[in-house]
Amino acid sequence: LIRPIHFSEVILDDGFWKTYAHKVSEVTVPVCMEYTEAKTGRIRNFERAAGLLNDGKGHEGIYYDDSDVYKALEAIAYSLKIYPSPQVEKRADEWIDKIAAAQEPDGYINTFYTLTGLENRWSDMEKHEDYCAGHLIEAGIAYYYATGKNKLMNVGIRMADHMDSIFGPGKRNWVTGHQEVELALVKLYEATGNKNYLNLANWFISQRGHGYGVGRIWDNPAWGPRYCQDDQPIEAISHITGHAVRAMYYYTGVADVASYTKNTTYLNAMQRVWEDVVHKNVYLTGAIGSSRHNEGFTKSFDLPNAEAYGETCASVGMVFWNQRMNQLTGNAMYIDVLERSLFNGALAGISLTGDRFFYPNPLTSYEGDTRKEWFGTACCPSNIARLLASVGNYLYAHDEHDIWLNIYAGSKTTVSLKNNRVKLTQQTNYPWEGSVSLLLEPEHTGEFALHLRIPGWARNDAISGGLYRFANTETPDTEIRINGKPTQYKMVNGYAIVHNTWKKGDRVDIRIPMEIKRVLASDSVSQDRGKVALQRGPLVYCLEEADNASGIFNVILKDDVPLLETWEPHLLGGIYTLSGEVEAVIPTPDRASATTSVQPFKAIPYFAWANRGKQPMQVWIPRRVTSILLNKE
Amino acid sequence: LIRPIHFSEVILDDGFWKTYAHKVSEVTVPVCMEYTEAKTGRIRNFERAAGLLNDGKGHEGIYYDDSDVYKALEAIAYSLKIYPSPQVEKRADEWIDKIAAAQEPDGYINTFYTLTGLENRWSDMEKHEDYCAGHLIEAGIAYYYATGKNKLMNVGIRMADHMDSIFGPGKRNWVTGHQEVELALVKLYEATGNKNYLNLANWFISQRGHGYGVGRIWDNPAWGPRYCQDDQPIEAISHITGHAVRAMYYYTGVADVASYTKNTTYLNAMQRVWEDVVHKNVYLTGAIGSSRHNEGFTKSFDLPNAEAYGETCASVGMVFWNQRMNQLTGNAMYIDVLERSLFNGALAGISLTGDRFFYPNPLTSYEGDTRKEWFGTACCPSNIARLLASVGNYLYAHDEHDIWLNIYAGSKTTVSLKNNRVKLTQQTNYPWEGSVSLLLEPEHTGEFALHLRIPGWARNDAISGGLYRFANTETPDTEIRINGKPTQYKMVNGYAIVHNTWKKGDRVDIRIPMEIKRVLASDSVSQDRGKVALQRGPLVYCLEEADNASGIFNVILKDDVPLLETWEPHLLGGIYTLSGEVEAVIPTPDRASATTSVQPFKAIPYFAWANRGKQPMQVWIPRRVTSILLNKE
């Protein structure tokens, strides 16, 4: 079984992700803490539930608000590991004291029910009690790994034990209204070794699709059981339906359970639904969810760009799920998708300043948009924060014998193999450059293989299944050198396997060709027909009006126009821009007609859009004129 | 008090409306009967409730489906008056027998509750029991006036008495979830003279806005009390909110009650909210409702064209409400709006063949659209049918002394004044031509005034309040001749008052100038900025792709381009088209750029769109290029 190297064992020490980790620690975490504690009543709810605050005000906010406290704590935990801060840790410890004090004697914890009537707990499947419990458990484990303190984890364990006393075979039926507790219980099993939690996670999964779900979701004619993937048992699933974040958390939990129970029915179901997502229902940015009405899926190949939902949290969920699928199968195609979601759909959810957030992430914005400081339903800020602070989780993996490199990033780690411990030092300017230099320092000279992921985009494979493809198909091979000497390698499951007897000081240099790619969508995607997108490395590009004075919706990028890449250190924190010439259809001075002229264009990485005020933006650029709409509303 | 001449006293005998009345009788009514009786279970529900059918199947369809039976019967009644048909009448009588047999001993009637559990009746304000009762009452009265048979009216009276026994001062509170019973009870008061019904209507109105509403509407966070106008008492209302059809039926009922109770608070409220609708929230077509999410209103001046809801039933409701407002005030500006909704927003709801229907009526359709045969919620087909079959209601009005002419149409009627009875014969080709010839045959020579409506569009007043205005403001005066001799007339409240001592055989000729108008919207309507629409007489025009080979979304209609009107007898049943030249921005043959060229264009009346298959359509045409969007999704 392949297991990831835990973020706590990975030191991000230069480049792209370190900048983000720093931003999260310095800016995002304090913003989340301020909103959680002062600007909203989320911590006060715990104080009231604990009897520490008696202002008679009852529960503030929405019934699932506890979860934001837990997600913030999870982000804090990761951030403390990277940037220790006694002040932040002290404040987190105070929160944890209040949380622990709010726990009921029987282990139950949920401030909404404690403050509105504990007699009603576990009566409404939509009320997110299990969802909040899941985030509590995740936070407790993360905080334990980051600080060694187990108080919060113990609160989570007591809540898990409480749930285990109520739910399970032969007890009552329960369909979690918003999945999450399943994957959290598996994490708790991993952290404690207590198999009850694994069994309970599996039981929650097995409850779905049998008609046990009742309440607001199920009664809503526009939603129904499909909305929360309760329309069929997991074994029968082949199409993705409903709310995208619920689906992602669910599938992550199912893959987790499958990895421990060796349930091949689960694995097969996951592979079927993954193909449905990746072959038919994912945006080029790795975002998912076409409709804001159900925050999720409509029908296959319906991928509207301006109306795209593409919730930040769903892209975060894609990262979780695809990591699990990679571990289960050893196939890099899952990391290709993970990478696409991480660098584009998820990363666009946070501003370059680290303190503004997008909830939906469209691929076209006619008016432009601005990220918000916070949301009533505040899942996205803390979710992107916890992802970026724990991005170390996604770089390396290993089994007893071998080492996997998945996402390249300047970093250090030590990998424990069965018969060796290997210190790795990785230097790279990824995702800007495709060169990676790896220093190996095994404890002793020994034989093992490196599985070096050669990204799909470097192998003319835009995405598994062909929903997107590259127009320019000539791609140089990735070069791998050992101690300066070019080496042959075998490709297996998307990885270059470099088997060797390694000694301290060995160097591996990987040169992944990072060319500008023209991307075309499958003809089945009507919204992208006759259009082209640009990608370089894992980064999808977009046009923003700030860089394109003659407009962005009125231009044609012809197939034979040369494209240039330019490093612009002072633009948007330092980015490669792509540029060339387009045919721009432009109003005449009297505005009574239009003419076409050649104009320069410049594209920026999609993740960096909307950092210069409200700017119209477009990912998919027409290749030829198929229709002309004047004066769009 | 001004009262309309009842449809049953008006003979439509040539021209525009007779064609529609004929179509409704020959096509629409049979279609509605077929769907009501055979293709859906609406009549079977009554058979089951009456114990005439024992198939054990329970209630079929939606809980408000009874209302469609009643509305169909109302349309049948009007149609029988115009085109007697023994077969149709026999079938309607059979329906009525079944309905009467389904009535409970205490007068209650609603097949949903009879078949699902009578003990639950009147427990859920959203279940449309009162709404269905309202349509029953309206149908019963219409059928009585059309056929002289009172069986259905008596069912309605017993249901009204049942409601009167449950609801009213000192009894329980009740907010009708979908208004309708209020206006029906006033009709029943008019038909029976029993003031209880007027009082009960007033009581239902007075229940709103006090927090009595409970149930699904009120619990839905996206709806709440505003959705059904239950957020404030009618006395306090100044803005239109929520579901458009509910609002229209409500306001019609309020105006009705105000007319009998002389409640000036109600009248003032109606005038405030009318101004809110007409000054800020109505489409050029007289349609209302900007959003399909609440089937109603968003914020003032938000009038998206492609996303417009503009439900057919809401335009029908605009006709009802504006007629009442005209009666209350004697002001023709309400008829101007009624006319706009009738000839455009409502009429577009039905195909030229009479058997296909639109539910929403957008002003832009990028893909084109096709009217449907029927709907799950089938309010629109029978609603447009009953309106078109009873359009005679809107032509004439009178008080003791004078006669009002509101909508011009080839027709005959006899008006009873205090001291005279006046036979009127009207000849006109309205709305295609503005000439109207009126033959007066009073029983005896006598003095009275004719109030001849001079439409706002003939007086350079596109709509009261200035939401829309005409770009070309030079308008010849309307000419009125008595027995061939031009006469001076005074304008009061939008009517030309022609006072005379009339004798048998007198003729009045009215010549309303019917020029092509360029319409501009207020700058507050962002969606129409820089655009122009065309109107001729009461008819709003649109471009349909069928007539415009070089496209309709890529053209500029310059302000100084001459416009031509042409009678095309073989196009769409015979219409005036408007034509001229536009600047069309067109792709070059290689589709790598675009050029502008002068192209002919042709516009057709909006009501006639979508009768030639799926055709892209647009009402508002750019006057100058403000933006260019290539390859719209």
Side-chain angles (χ1 to χ4, degrees):
Chain A
L1 208 63
I2 305 168
R3 289 290 168 202
I5 309 284
H6 199 261
F7 82 96
S8 61
E9 307 295 324
V10 176
I11 297 163
L12 288 168
D13 64 1
D14 69 354
F16 193 83
W17 290 116
K18 189 173 181 190
T19 310
Y20 269 103
H22 184 84
K23 226 177 293 192
V24 167
S25 299
E26 291 292 304
V27 180
T28 317
V29 160
V31 162
C32 287
M33 293 187 85
E34 182 66 7
Y35 267 97
T36 304
E37 188 165 27
K39 294 194 180 174
T40 72
R42 285 169 167 80
I43 294 295
R44 290 193 292 276
N45 282 334
F46 283 99
E47 293 172 355
R48 291 185 189 109
L52 301 169
L53 173 65
N54 293 297
D55 60 358
K57 283 195 180 160
H59 184 269
E60 274 183 271
I62 313 177
Y63 52 84
Y64 43 62
D65 279 358
D66 287 0
S67 66
D68 298 321
V69 177
Y70 302 139
K71 266 195 297 191
L73 278 167
E74 190 182 342
I76 289 166
Y78 300 141
S79 136
L80 285 174
K81 187 75 195 173
I82 307 172
Y83 292 97
S85 157
Q87 296 92 322
V88 168
E89 187 167 338
K90 181 165 174 291
R91 207 158 141 203
D93 286 340
E94 288 165 10
W95 287 12
I96 291 166
D97 289 341
K98 291 170 186 172
I99 292 167
Q103 189 162 37
E104 300 295 330
D106 65 359
Y108 180 84
I109 178 163
N110 186 290
T111 69
F112 174 76
Y113 279 111
T114 295
L115 295 172
T116 63
L118 209 54
E119 67 280 10
N120 299 320
R121 66 184 183 172
W122 302 121
S123 67
D124 181 348
M125 295 177 179
E126 220 290 297
K127 279 291 190 298
H128 287 53
E129 292 156 278
D130 37 50
Y131 171 88
C132 291
H135 280 303
L136 163 65
I137 291 167
E138 286 201 89
I141 296 167
Y143 204 76
Y144 170 70
Y145 281 122
T147 65
K149 299 174 185 169
N150 65 2
K151 185 168 192 174
L152 188 64
M153 186 161 75
N154 284 335
V155 176
I157 288 171
R158 293 187 59 211
M159 177 61 167
D161 291 341
H162 164 76
M163 290 189 290
D164 197 40
S165 75
I166 296 183
F167 301 115
K171 300 172 196 164
R172 57 183 295 193
N173 293 115
W174 188 261
V175 177
T176 59
H178 192 314
Q179 300 92 319
E180 150 67 25
V181 74
E182 302 84 355
L183 75 90
L185 285 167
V186 177
K187 279 194 180 178
L188 194 58
Y189 162 62
E190 290 168 344
T192 63
N194 182 341
K195 213 167 174 184
N196 286 348
Y197 306 133
L198 178 64
N199 293 339
L200 185 58
N202 198 4
W203 181 84
F204 276 124
I205 290 165
S206 71
Q207 285 285 290
R208 303 190 97 78
H210 301 290
Y212 303 145
V214 287
R216 199 167 69 87
I217 293 170
W218 295 267
D219 292 344
N220 185 331
W223 290 355
R226 288 165 60 92
Y227 177 80
C228 62
Q229 299 82 38
D230 186 31
D231 52 329
Q232 48 184 349
I234 193 70
E235 294 82 357
I237 202 166
S238 59
H239 295 295
I240 191 149
T241 63
H243 187 273
V245 177
R246 283 172 165 82
M248 289 301 104
Y249 288 4
Y250 181 33
Y251 301 155
T252 301
V254 172
D256 279 337
V257 168
S259 85
Y260 288 108
T261 61
K262 317 279 182 224
N263 184 331
T264 53
T265 314
Y266 279 14
L267 175 59
N268 292 340
M270 286 301 92
Q271 285 177 323
R272 283 196 307 274
V273 74
W274 186 88
E275 287 185 3
D276 190 54
V277 174
V278 172
H279 296 189
K280 301 176 185 169
N281 290 292
V282 69
Y283 284 98
L284 184 63
T285 55
I288 53 171
S290 303
S291 168
R292 60 190 64 208
H293 300 309
N294 65 348
E295 303 187 281
F297 296 91
T298 55
K299 56 180 197 288
S300 291
F301 302 111
D302 178 36
L303 294 164
N305 291 305
E307 297 298 313
Y309 197 62
E311 185 182 337
T312 301
C313 287
S315 289
V316 172
M318 281 286 276
V319 171
F320 297 161
W321 182 34
N322 278 286
Q323 186 192 34
R324 288 1 184 248
M325 293 304 290
N326 171 256
Q327 288 170 216
L328 270 171
T329 62
N331 199 313
M333 69 182 176
Y334 300 107
I335 303 294
D336 285 350
V337 174
L338 181 160
E339 183 179 66
R340 189 173 282 287
S341 300
L342 175 64
F343 279 94
N344 303 287
L347 211 48
I350 186 167
S351 67
L352 293 179
T353 53
D355 59 351
R356 294 285 188 286
F357 309 94
F358 272 147
Y359 209 111
N361 293 279
L363 280 75
T364 294
S365 179
Y366 292 115
E367 307 292 327
D369 205 350
T370 43
R371 292 181 182 80
K372 307 290 179 294
E373 271 190 65
W374 195 251
F375 306 94
T377 294
C379 48
C380 297
S382 50
N383 223 352
I384 188 73
R386 68 179 180 140
L387 176 71
L388 296 181
S390 63
V391 85
N393 276 330
Y394 306 97
L395 311 190
Y396 301 94
H398 70 108
D399 65 8
E400 287 189 347
H401 309 290
D402 292 348
I403 299 173
W404 278 256
L405 269 72
N406 282 321
I407 301 291
Y408 297 103
S411 57
K412 288 195 184 70
T413 193
T414 301
V415 185
S416 296
L417 303 177
K418 193 175 177 185
N419 301 316
N420 212 339
R421 275 173 60 83
V422 185
K423 191 174 164 202
L424 294 174
T425 305
Q426 188 183 162
Q427 289 188 300
T428 180
N429 195 21
Y430 198 89
W432 301 119
E433 310 289 355
S435 297
V436 177
S437 178
L438 197 64
L439 171 67
L440 286 88
E441 296 172 281
E443 255 178 12
H444 51 83
T445 297
E447 208 180 334
F448 57 90
L450 294 175
H451 297 241
L452 304 169
R453 176 174 156 264
I454 311 300
W457 48 260
R459 295 181 288 107
N460 194 33
D461 186 10
I463 194 164
S464 168
L467 183 60
Y468 305 104
R469 66 185 190 278
F470 296 132
N472 40 336
T473 56
E474 64 299 338
T475 302
D477 281 342
T478 292
E479 266 185 37
I480 300 178
R481 290 166 187 259
I482 299 179
N483 297 324
K485 269 182 264 172
T487 182
Q488 296 295 318
Y489 55 88
K490 201 171 64 170
M491 286 297 298
V492 177
N493 285 338
Y495 293 95
I497 302 187
V498 185
H499 199 107
N500 201 7
T501 301
W502 302 99
K503 60 181 189 304
K504 199 168 285 190
D506 277 345
R507 301 193 70 89
V508 176
D509 290 289
I510 314 161
R511 188 171 300 173
I512 307 169
M514 199 168 267
E515 302 178 305
I516 303 170
K517 293 288 184 185
R518 284 178 152 89
V519 190
L520 307 178
S522 157
D523 269 357
S524 307
V525 183
S526 68
Q527 293 96 345
D528 300 337
R529 263 179 226 150
K531 297 180 187 169
V532 61
L534 301 176
Q535 182 176 338
R536 181 178 177 278
L539 301 178
V540 173
Y541 277 69
C542 67
L543 300 183
E544 221 182 16
E545 204 163 83
D547 308 302
N548 296 281
S550 53
I552 65 169
F553 301 115
N554 56 329
V555 300
I556 297 294
L557 178 55
K558 289 160 73 176
D559 290 348
D560 54 0
V561 166
L563 302 172
L564 250 168
E565 59 198 24
T566 311
W567 178 250
E568 300 204 36
H570 303 300
L571 185 61
L572 295 164
I575 54 171
Y576 265 108
T577 59
L578 307 183
S579 57
E581 288 182 338
V582 285
E583 309 293 307
V585 183
I586 295 171
T588 50
D590 67 357
R591 299 205 160 257
S593 61
T595 53
T596 309
S597 63
V598 174
Q599 299 283 343
F601 85 89
K602 185 194 280 190
I604 61 168
Y606 172 75
F607 77 77
W609 88 281
N611 280 290
R612 292 172 290 180
K614 263 185 140 180
Q615 292 291 333
M617 180 277 296
Q618 167 151 280
V619 168
W620 289 97
I621 313 163
R623 301 161 69 197
R624 50 180 179 269
V625 188
T626 57
S627 75
I628 298 168
L629 173 65
L630 302 178
N631 301 12
K632 184 188 172 300
E633 282 179 15
Chain B
L1 207 64
I2 306 170
R3 289 291 168 202
I5 309 284
H6 198 260
F7 84 95
S8 60
E9 308 294 325
V10 175
I11 298 162
L12 288 168
D13 63 2
D14 70 355
F16 192 84
W17 290 116
K18 192 175 178 186
T19 310
Y20 269 103
H22 183 84
K23 223 176 294 191
V24 167
S25 298
E26 292 292 305
V27 181
T28 318
V29 160
V31 162
C32 285
M33 293 186 84
E34 182 67 8
Y35 266 97
T36 304
E37 190 167 24
K39 294 194 181 174
T40 71
R42 286 171 168 80
I43 295 295
R44 290 192 292 277
N45 283 334
F46 283 100
E47 292 171 355
R48 291 183 190 110
L52 302 168
L53 174 66
N54 294 298
D55 60 358
K57 284 198 181 159
H59 183 269
E60 275 184 86
I62 313 176
Y63 52 84
Y64 44 62
D65 278 358
D66 287 359
S67 66
D68 298 321
V69 177
Y70 302 138
K71 265 194 297 189
L73 278 168
E74 191 183 342
I76 290 167
Y78 301 141
S79 135
L80 285 175
K81 187 74 194 177
I82 307 172
Y83 292 97
S85 158
Q87 296 90 324
V88 169
E89 188 167 336
K90 181 167 173 289
R91 207 159 140 204
D93 286 340
E94 287 166 10
W95 286 13
I96 291 167
D97 288 342
K98 291 170 185 171
I99 291 167
Q103 189 162 37
E104 300 294 331
D106 64 0
Y108 180 85
I109 178 162
N110 186 291
T111 69
F112 175 77
Y113 278 112
T114 294
L115 295 172
T116 63
L118 208 55
E119 67 282 9
N120 297 321
R121 65 184 183 170
W122 303 121
S123 68
D124 182 347
M125 295 177 179
E126 221 289 299
K127 279 290 189 299
H128 288 50
E129 294 157 277
D130 36 50
Y131 171 88
C132 290
H135 280 303
L136 163 65
I137 292 167
E138 285 200 272
I141 296 167
Y143 204 76
Y144 171 69
Y145 282 123
T147 65
K149 298 174 186 168
N150 64 3
K151 186 168 190 173
L152 188 63
M153 187 162 74
N154 284 335
V155 175
I157 287 171
R158 293 186 60 211
M159 178 61 167
D161 292 341
H162 164 76
M163 289 190 289
D164 196 40
S165 75
I166 295 183
F167 301 115
K171 300 170 196 165
R172 57 183 293 194
N173 293 117
W174 188 263
V175 177
T176 59
H178 192 314
Q179 301 94 319
E180 151 65 26
V181 73
E182 303 83 355
L183 75 90
L185 286 167
V186 178
K187 279 193 180 178
L188 194 58
Y189 161 61
E190 290 168 343
T192 62
N194 182 340
K195 214 167 173 185
N196 286 348
Y197 305 134
L198 178 63
N199 293 339
L200 185 59
N202 197 4
W203 180 83
F204 276 124
I205 290 166
S206 71
Q207 286 285 290
R208 304 190 98 77
H210 301 289
Y212 302 145
V214 288
R216 198 168 68 89
I217 292 170
W218 294 267
D219 291 344
N220 184 330
W223 290 355
R226 287 165 62 92
Y227 176 79
C228 63
Q229 300 81 39
D230 186 31
D231 52 329
Q232 48 184 352
I234 193 70
E235 294 82 355
I237 204 168
S238 59
H239 295 296
I240 192 149
T241 62
H243 186 273
V245 178
R246 283 172 164 84
M248 290 301 105
Y249 287 6
Y250 182 33
Y251 302 155
T252 301
V254 172
D256 279 338
V257 167
S259 85
Y260 288 108
T261 61
K262 316 282 182 224
N263 184 330
T264 52
T265 313
Y266 278 15
L267 174 60
N268 292 340
M270 286 301 91
Q271 286 179 324
R272 283 196 308 273
V273 74
W274 186 87
E275 288 185 3
D276 190 55
V277 174
V278 172
H279 296 189
K280 301 175 186 168
N281 289 292
V282 68
Y283 284 98
L284 184 62
T285 56
I288 52 172
S290 304
S291 167
R292 59 190 65 208
H293 301 308
N294 65 348
E295 302 188 282
F297 295 91
T298 54
K299 58 181 196 287
S300 291
F301 302 111
D302 178 36
L303 293 164
N305 290 306
E307 297 298 312
Y309 197 62
E311 184 183 338
T312 301
C313 287
S315 289
V316 172
M318 281 287 275
V319 171
F320 296 161
W321 183 36
N322 278 285
Q323 185 192 37
R324 284 10 181 241
M325 294 304 289
N326 171 256
Q327 288 170 215
L328 271 171
T329 62
N331 199 314
M333 69 182 177
Y334 299 107
I335 304 295
D336 286 350
V337 174
L338 181 160
E339 184 179 65
R340 186 172 285 287
S341 299
L342 175 63
F343 278 94
N344 303 287
L347 212 49
I350 186 166
S351 68
L352 293 179
T353 52
D355 59 352
R356 294 288 189 284
F357 309 95
F358 272 147
Y359 209 111
N361 293 278
L363 281 75
T364 293
S365 178
Y366 291 115
E367 307 292 327
D369 204 350
T370 44
R371 293 180 182 80
K372 307 289 179 294
E373 273 191 64
W374 195 252
F375 306 94
T377 293
C379 49
C380 296
S382 50
N383 224 352
I384 188 73
R386 69 179 180 139
L387 177 71
L388 296 181
S390 63
V391 84
N393 277 329
Y394 305 96
L395 311 190
Y396 302 95
H398 70 107
D399 65 7
E400 288 190 344
H401 309 291
D402 293 348
I403 299 172
W404 277 256
L405 268 73
N406 282 321
I407 301 290
Y408 296 104
S411 57
K412 287 194 185 72
T413 193
T414 300
V415 185
S416 295
L417 303 178
K418 191 174 180 186
N419 302 314
N420 212 339
R421 275 174 60 83
V422 185
K423 191 174 164 198
L424 294 175
T425 305
Q426 188 183 160
Q427 289 187 302
T428 180
N429 196 20
Y430 198 89
W432 302 118
E433 309 290 353
S435 296
V436 177
S437 179
L438 197 65
L439 172 67
L440 287 87
E441 297 174 280
E443 253 177 14
H444 53 79
T445 297
E447 210 181 331
F448 57 89
L450 296 174
H451 297 241
L452 306 169
R453 176 173 156 263
I454 311 301
W457 48 260
R459 294 181 290 106
N460 194 32
D461 185 11
I463 194 164
S464 168
L467 183 60
Y468 305 105
R469 67 184 189 280
F470 296 132
N472 41 337
T473 56
E474 64 299 336
T475 302
D477 281 343
T478 292
E479 264 183 38
I480 301 179
R481 290 164 188 258
I482 301 180
N483 298 323
K485 268 181 265 174
T487 184
Q488 296 296 318
Y489 55 87
K490 203 172 64 174
M491 287 296 298
V492 176
N493 285 338
Y495 293 96
I497 302 187
V498 184
H499 199 106
N500 201 5
T501 302
W502 302 99
K503 59 182 189 303
K504 197 168 286 188
D506 277 345
R507 300 192 71 89
V508 176
D509 288 290
I510 315 161
R511 187 170 302 171
I512 306 169
M514 200 167 266
E515 302 177 306
I516 303 169
K517 293 289 184 185
R518 285 179 149 89
V519 191
L520 307 178
S522 158
D523 269 358
S524 306
V525 183
S526 67
Q527 292 96 345
D528 300 338
R529 262 178 228 152
K531 296 180 185 167
V532 61
L534 301 176
Q535 183 176 338
R536 182 178 176 278
L539 301 179
V540 173
Y541 276 70
C542 67
L543 300 183
E544 222 183 15
E545 204 163 84
D547 308 301
N548 296 280
S550 53
I552 65 168
F553 300 116
N554 55 330
V555 300
I556 295 295
L557 177 55
K558 289 160 73 175
D559 290 348
D560 54 0
V561 166
L563 301 172
L564 249 169
E565 59 197 25
T566 310
W567 178 251
E568 301 204 35
H570 304 299
L571 185 62
L572 295 164
I575 54 169
Y576 265 107
T577 59
L578 307 183
S579 57
E581 288 183 334
V582 286
E583 309 293 308
V585 184
I586 296 171
T588 51
D590 67 358
R591 300 206 161 256
S593 61
T595 54
T596 309
S597 64
V598 173
Q599 299 283 341
F601 85 90
K602 184 194 280 191
I604 62 166
Y606 172 76
F607 76 79
W609 89 281
N611 279 290
R612 293 173 290 180
K614 264 185 140 180
Q615 293 291 332
M617 181 277 296
Q618 166 150 280
V619 168
W620 290 98
I621 312 162
R623 299 161 68 197
R624 51 180 180 269
V625 188
T626 57
S627 76
I628 299 169
L629 173 64
L630 301 178
N631 302 12
K632 182 188 173 299
E633 283 179 15

